[in-house]
Structures are given as structure tokens and as C-alpha cells.
Amino acid sequence: MKKYFHIWIYLTAASFQSFFVSRIGAVLFLSGKIFRFVFFLGFLILLVSRTKILAGYNLNQILIFYLTFNFIDSITQMLFREVYRFRSQVISGDFDLILLKPVNALFRVLFGGTDFLDFVTLLPLIIIIAYLIFQIPNISLLGIIIYIILIINALVISSAFHIIVLALAIFTVEIDNTIMIYRDVMSMGKLPIDVYREPIRSFITFAIPVGIMLTYPPRALFNLLHVHYLMIAFIFGSGFLLFSLLFWRFALKHYTSASS
Amino acid sequence: MKKYLKIISVSLQEYFAYKMNLIIWRLRIIISIMISYFLWDTVYQSKPVIFGYDISRMLTYFLLLFLVNSLVLNSQTFRIAEDINFGYLSNYLLRPLNYFLFVLSRDIADKFLNVIFSIVELIILISLLHPPVFYQENVLNIIFFITAIFIASILYFEIGIILSLIGFWSRETWAPRFIFFILVSFLAGVYFPLDILPQGLYSVLKLTPFPYLIFFPLKLYLGGIERTFISSGFFIMIAWIILLGFLVKKIWKKGLKIYTAEGL
């Protein structure tokens, strides 16, 4: 465990150094992300200020949904940046070099490019979420604890998704945009899933667990989530992670090193 | 002319070689537009008219966005930057063709395919969701709508070229494009009709090229637009096209002087 922590620090430092190679590009990308966040936030405030209620939630609650989405999305992008480069490593044969090293290959391709540029967005998000939580009446300490646990569960599901994307990249080289599809589907969770009609709502709750990942935590915070949905969320999280790990092992067994 | 038709045909074949990428690209567009569609659909459950739009006009706005998005915002101009950065541009400069007409041909192929897809998607979504669609019966509005889409495509084409010509001076062409794409998403009317914004902000925006890419054509279709805005809108679009056309020419000439065919 300690060894992997040191490796992660080393890889993250190397990834951070790459920021200095293309400073302007990195700053522009970060500015773009901040623009996108602020613009959509402004739009939600404009809209819900006019309607007062959206899908049964007031403005502060809607903002918590949006901020929770951004928080989970930022952490995911920060941690799993290397996944975006994996396909090219398979095609070029560079993945062989990773397999030969005395480090778990999944760890290397999942956490090998942690991007601390996204980290700067996390602290403001936490501060705004905390401020809004204090603005909403009747939020209990238990609600806050379950909210945090469900966010961790969302990160587990997100890890599983990224592992599946990695495994898929071994099987097929034609799917260029699998990870982008994941991100687009996840972006449906920047609004509460109550916004979507059936059967889309059920589909993005259970088939593609946007609801479990992004809507359940704020609902638990507002004391609107029944306990059996909590159980479903945790069972799904652990089951999905297990499935992704088995799928990864299965994919590795079928890796042919054809490109090297 | 014949050679450019051939380029269109080859570009189309190129797309069919990577069918899955095209399908995934379309899926991504469907998801992004559907988020706005469902958001507005929910908004109208509590009020019949919001920001001066009834539900049929607002949902039609987002359904037609499929079509306008495919015609205006789908572009291959980003490949100009790759041509410059990897030295491929030299190959094109040596050939007996106009590079910009070559780029335009690639763009036409791209738009053609995306429009076909968007029409099919539109039919499927209308039959699945049964939205209250607003049908414009005034022929003049439809003519204005089609004309505005055509002019907006030229405008976006020029903007795309300028963004890619940064490649002459820097390899960082994706970051400015990323920022521009985000600006377009919000300031062109991809997420909401721009006239819901505070009046002062809306008036300033009308002087920029952004509203004329998406919002203006859609507003022309939906009607209820002031006559002065129709004429001033077309005037501003054409003014921007002339200005950007001049800039493209100037930047291209300057860029070619420092082009080193790096990467070849």
C-alpha cells in the first residue's frame, strides 16, 4: 500500500511537471471549465429564480444537485486522467511496457496521470456546498454523513466505469469516444433525475447509474431518500466494482499485444 | 468543381470507414440536447408561459436545434490546425487546388452526413416523445430561417478557420477552441433562447457573432421577432462575415510566411 502511494506521488509529480510544458494550454483549459461551470450556474439561478420550483426542488436544492455533480466530476477527472490515453497505449504497443513493470497494470493505467489542475476547483466547490447546506433548513448531521458516504459510493461506481472503459479498449480499437459517452451520460446528472421522464428516469437510475451516483447523495441530504434505496446504492456500488475488476482480468487474458 | 465533388465523396467514405465514431458522436449530441429539452419540459409543468415562450415554441426550439446544430456548428475546420502542425499543409499547397475550397468540401461532407442523421433523430424523437411541436406557417419566416442558417454556416466556417490558423504560431490550438466552444454553447443559444437574459446583456450580445449562429435562425422560425431585429440581425451577420473574411486572408498570408512545414 505504502509502495503504491509513493508510486502515485511520483507519477502525479511527473504529470504536474507536464503542466509547465504547456502552461498556456493548461490555463486555458482550466479557464474553459470554470466558464462552463459559472455560465450554467448563472443559467440555473436565472431559471429557478423565475419558476421558484423545479421538479419539486427549490433553488438552493437545485444548486446542491449541480454542485454535487461538479464535485464528483472534478474528482473523477482529476484521478483518472490516464484513462484518456490508454487506447493509444494499446494501439502503439506501449501497454506492453506497463505490463512488464513490477507494478499492478490496472493501478498504473487508472491512476498514472492524476491531474492536479482540477484540484483547484474542488475547494471552492466544497465551500459553496457547505454554505448552501447551512442555508437549507432541516438538514441533519446524519443526512450530511450519508451524503458524504454516498459521494464516496459514487466515486467507487465511477472507478468501476473507468475500469470497464479500460477493458473495452483492449477488446476494440474502433470505439474512440467511450469515455466521452460516459461523461455525457453523467452530465445528465447535473440536474436531479426527476427532471427526466419515464422510462429514461429508470434507465439512468439503474441501467446507467447516474441517479445512484449523482441524485441519491443530495436526496439523502434533504432527507428524501428511503433507506432501501440506500441499500440498493451500496449493493450496486460494490457489485459494479467487482464486475469491473473481473471484466478487466478477463480483458487482460485476451490481450494479444498485437501492435507491439 | 469536379475535384471538389470528389473530395466531398472521399470525405463521406472516410466517415463510413469509422462508423462507430460517427454513431457515438451523434449519440453525444442527442444527449446534450435532450438534457436541455427535458429541463424545459419540466419547467413548463408549473407555468404555461415562461420568459415569453409557451411550451410548444420552447420545445420546438430544442428539437430544431438538432438540425441547426448539424448545419452550423458541425465543422471540420479544426483539421486545418493539424494540417499546419504536422506539415500536411505542404501537400495541399503543392496540389492544383484551392486549400480553402478543399476545407469547405470536407465541411460540406460533414454537414451533409450530420444533417441526414439529425433528420432521422428528429423524426424518431418526435414520434417517441410526442412533443407539442410548433409549425411555422408563414413562408417568409421559413425563408428567413433557411437564409440565416446558410449565412450562419459561413460565419462559423470563418471563425473555425481563424481559430485553426493559430496553428501557424502555436501548437496549442485545442485550448482556444475548447474555450470558444464553451462560449458558443452558452452565448449562441444552445442551452436557452438568448432573449431570456437580462436586457442589457442581451443587447450587448447582439453585437457579437454568437447569437447569429443558433439563436437568430431559430428565433426567425419561431416568429414573434421584431422587424428591426430581422434587418439588423442580417446586417450584423454580413458585417461579421466581411470582417472575418478580411481577417482570414490577412492571418493566412502572415501565417504562410512563417510556415516551416514542421513535422514533415
Side-chain angles (χ1 to χ4, degrees):
Chain A
M1 193 70 185
K2 201 176 166 190
K3 171 187 148 188
Y4 277 94
F5 181 69
H6 281 296
I7 294 170
W8 180 72
I9 293 284
Y10 179 78
L11 291 170
T12 304
S15 164
F16 191 63
Q17 281 169 16
S18 68
F19 159 75
F20 293 99
V21 178
S22 54
R23 282 183 296 266
I24 298 171
V27 169
L28 286 176
F29 268 116
L30 184 65
S31 313
K33 285 178 186 177
I34 294 170
F35 278 152
R36 185 172 53 193
F37 169 75
V38 172
F39 280 150
F40 201 81
L41 184 73
F43 164 58
L44 281 180
I45 292 171
L46 178 74
L47 179 67
V48 187
S49 303
R50 181 68 68 97
T51 60
K52 307 292 177 212
I53 292 285
L54 180 68
Y57 300 100
N58 64 29
L59 177 60
N60 283 343
Q61 289 175 320
I62 288 290
L63 293 183
I64 290 270
F65 278 105
Y66 178 58
L67 295 165
T68 305
F69 158 77
N70 277 285
F71 181 73
I72 292 169
D73 189 51
S74 295
I75 292 187
T76 305
Q77 283 194 55
M78 182 183 83
L79 288 175
F80 305 132
R81 181 65 65 187
E82 190 70 358
V83 173
Y84 293 74
R85 301 183 197 112
F86 183 61
R87 187 179 164 271
S88 64
Q89 289 173 344
V90 172
I91 290 170
S92 65
D94 288 348
F95 183 50
D96 293 10
L97 305 174
I98 292 169
L99 285 171
L100 286 171
K101 287 184 179 130
V103 175
N104 183 292
L106 179 59
F107 170 81
R108 176 66 182 77
V109 294
L110 199 57
F111 296 106
T114 302
D115 183 2
F116 261 88
L117 207 59
D118 286 310
F119 186 75
V120 295
T121 61
L122 290 179
L123 193 62
L125 279 172
I126 294 170
I127 293 169
I128 306 171
I129 290 172
Y131 171 78
L132 285 172
I133 286 175
F134 283 110
Q135 297 298 308
I136 299 170
N138 304 325
I139 286 186
S140 63
L141 181 64
L142 182 66
I144 295 173
I145 292 168
I146 297 172
Y147 172 70
I148 294 168
I149 293 171
L150 280 171
I151 285 179
I152 294 168
N153 190 57
L155 293 172
V156 169
I157 296 172
S158 171
S159 311
F161 257 117
H162 283 80
I163 294 169
I164 288 170
V165 169
L166 288 170
L168 278 174
I170 290 177
F171 283 116
T172 172
V173 289
E174 203 185 349
I175 299 177
D176 233 351
N177 299 316
T178 333
I179 193 71
M180 298 314 288
I181 282 281
Y182 157 81
R183 287 187 54 190
D184 287 333
V185 172
M186 282 303 121
S187 71
M188 295 178 87
K190 61 186 166 194
L191 300 165
I193 55 161
D194 312 64
V195 161
Y196 305 100
R197 278 194 219 161
E198 289 293 358
I200 296 171
R201 192 186 304 170
S202 297
F203 184 73
I204 60 170
T205 302
F206 301 111
I208 308 168
V210 178
I212 291 177
M213 288 174 71
L214 303 167
T215 295
Y216 279 17
R219 269 199 197 161
L221 183 70
F222 309 141
N223 203 18
L224 295 172
L225 193 70
H226 196 276
V227 72
H228 71 257
Y229 285 112
L230 267 181
M231 300 311 293
I232 289 172
F234 295 132
I235 291 168
F236 189 92
S238 42
F240 199 45
L241 182 65
L242 185 68
F243 168 76
S244 68
L245 290 171
L246 290 172
F247 188 48
W248 168 254
R249 284 175 67 174
F250 177 72
L252 264 192
K253 280 182 187 163
H254 288 80
Y255 178 63
T256 56
S257 184
S259 306
S260 56
Chain B
M1 186 66 186
K2 216 174 168 186
K3 57 190 168 193
Y4 297 108
L5 287 175
K6 196 75 196 162
I7 292 165
I8 294 175
S9 154
V10 170
S11 301
L12 285 172
Q13 287 169 35
E14 211 177 293
Y15 282 106
F16 285 109
Y18 300 99
K19 288 185 280 289
M20 192 54 111
N21 281 344
L22 180 67
I23 292 166
I24 288 176
W25 168 245
R26 288 309 310 172
L27 192 61
R28 294 188 62 195
I29 290 179
I30 294 173
I31 292 169
S32 70
I33 296 179
M34 281 295 96
I35 292 174
S36 299
Y37 175 91
F38 283 115
L39 169 64
W40 285 102
D41 187 35
T42 307
V43 164
Y44 281 95
Q45 283 170 9
S46 56
K47 282 184 176 178
V49 176
I50 296 166
F51 298 114
Y53 288 85
D54 60 20
I55 187 166
S56 68
R57 278 191 165 79
M58 188 61 91
L59 295 187
T60 306
Y61 182 96
F62 288 100
L63 289 170
L64 274 180
L65 193 58
F66 277 98
L67 200 65
V68 180
N69 190 74
S70 299
L71 280 162
V72 179
L73 301 189
N74 267 300
S75 175
Q76 290 288 306
T77 46
F78 69 90
R79 286 169 70 179
I80 299 174
E82 288 172 14
D83 291 343
I84 296 168
N85 289 151
F86 295 105
Y88 305 145
L89 182 64
S90 310
N91 293 331
Y92 300 118
L93 293 176
L94 290 171
R95 288 177 196 172
L97 52 77
N98 179 312
Y99 180 66
F100 288 110
L101 287 179
F102 167 74
V103 174
L104 182 66
S105 307
R106 282 198 306 211
D107 244 40
I108 290 170
D110 185 66
K111 287 179 197 300
F112 173 75
L113 210 60
N114 276 288
V115 165
I116 301 288
F117 267 84
S118 64
I119 290 170
V120 174
E121 288 155 11
L122 205 54
I123 293 167
I124 294 171
L125 286 172
I126 289 175
S127 47
L128 281 177
L129 300 169
H130 305 293
V133 179
F134 170 77
Y135 293 100
Q136 179 57 263
E137 286 163 1
N138 188 332
V139 183
L140 197 63
N141 277 63
I142 294 171
I143 293 170
F144 281 152
F145 169 63
I146 295 167
T147 313
I149 289 177
F150 179 72
I151 302 174
S153 306
I154 300 170
L155 188 57
Y156 192 74
F157 181 69
E158 287 184 340
I159 296 171
I161 290 175
I162 291 174
L163 284 172
S164 281
L165 293 184
I166 295 172
F168 279 123
W169 290 271
S170 168
R171 282 187 158 265
E172 306 272 6
T173 54
W174 275 108
R177 194 171 279 276
F178 175 65
I179 289 210
F180 177 75
F181 187 71
I182 285 164
L183 288 176
V184 164
S185 302
F186 286 93
L187 307 181
V190 172
Y191 285 104
F192 50 85
L194 297 175
D195 52 357
I196 74 166
L197 289 170
Q199 196 56 42
L201 183 59
Y202 177 52
S203 300
V204 173
L205 257 183
K206 282 201 283 193
L207 298 173
T208 70
F210 296 111
Y212 304 99
L213 298 172
I214 296 289
F215 168 71
F216 185 63
L218 286 170
K219 189 75 184 167
L220 285 170
Y221 175 85
L222 295 175
I225 183 168
E226 315 95 68
R227 277 171 189 269
T228 47
F229 185 36
I230 298 176
S231 49
S232 68
F234 278 115
F235 175 77
I236 293 172
M237 278 175 111
I238 290 165
W240 272 111
I241 284 178
I242 294 168
L243 179 71
L244 294 175
F246 175 73
L247 271 176
V248 167
K249 233 176 168 179
K250 199 121 180 123
I251 298 171
W252 172 251
K253 273 187 181 169
K254 278 203 164 190
L256 276 185
K257 278 184 188 160
I258 59 155
Y259 174 62
T260 53
E262 183 192 351
L264 265 186

